Amino acid sequence: MSRKQLTLVTSIVVTATLAITAGCGSGKGGGSSAGDSKGGAAIGKGMAQLPVEPTQAPTEEPTDDPYDDPSDSPTGGSGLITPDAKMGTCGWGSDGKPYANVKISNSGSSTAYYSLLVGFVDSSDKAVTTGVESDAAVAGGADKTIKVTGLKADSSHTAKKCRLSLATKSDSAD
């Protein structure tokens, strides 16, 4: 069914529902057609005969306890930033884009790949822009400074701080 037909069908269903419910409770007779100027009273009268109370009790008592029980225990730290990454200096490039130097010290013995997300914020901690670097290779046991550049220019220099928001380490380039 095309989108245009679906909209038409939805409109018809809503209109029919409104017409059916317009007669419910109108007048003093609970759906009587006497003195009913809205129409649909016969349908409203039939609906008034439905049971008000549920015919069966609920099968399960509500509970405040969660059903799932986490099987793993939380690890130390936020888990979003590898201990190999440390924030270095920040500044602005000649193009007006802010940058951050992130210092990586690969604690492993083989080459690892780091993905970094840096947020550049103003004095009230509101985000000005972000910068991303993906799959930066660092040799095992080596130190390397990776420059992460903001995605948009900040020529008025409203960014006052840079924060390392995410730093992940993997054994292979993604």
Side-chain angles (χ1 to χ4, degrees):
M1 185 178 286
S2 73
R3 185 178 205 157
K4 196 171 193 177
Q5 289 173 330
L6 184 60
T7 305
L8 177 61
V9 170
T10 304
S11 297
I12 292 170
V13 168
V14 169
T15 304
T17 303
L18 290 174
I20 289 170
T21 58
C24 288
S26 64
K28 294 181 182 175
S32 168
S33 61
D36 187 6
S37 62
K38 295 182 182 177
I43 295 173
K45 185 174 182 180
M47 289 182 71
Q49 295 172 359
L50 293 174
V52 178
E53 297 294 323
T55 57
Q56 292 179 331
T59 57
E60 184 178 331
E61 290 295 315
T63 179
D64 291 333
D65 297 329
Y67 288 104
D68 58 340
D69 189 18
S71 59
D72 59 338
S73 58
T75 57
S78 70
L80 297 177
I81 300 175
T82 178
D84 291 359
K86 303 287 183 226
M87 181 56 70
T89 58
C90 301
W92 287 273
S94 59
D95 59 357
K97 292 182 179 179
Y99 68 86
N101 291 316
V102 180
K103 297 176 182 178
I104 304 291
S105 296
N106 186 350
S107 59
S109 59
S110 61
T111 298
Y113 299 87
Y114 294 84
S115 293
L116 308 169
L117 173 67
V118 175
F120 300 93
V121 297
D122 63 13
S123 57
S124 63
D125 289 338
K126 182 180 175 191
V128 175
T129 188
T130 58
V132 177
E133 182 65 39
S134 296
D135 299 328
V138 179
D143 294 335
K144 184 175 183 180
T145 300
I146 299 171
K147 185 176 182 177
V148 180
T149 304
L151 297 174
K152 71 175 193 177
D154 179 27
S155 55
S156 60
H157 295 210
T158 54
K160 302 298 181 195
K161 300 180 225 172
C162 54
R163 292 192 179 136
L164 187 58
S165 302
L166 180 69
T168 59
K169 176 182 179 179
S170 64
D171 295 332
S172 62
D174 293 330

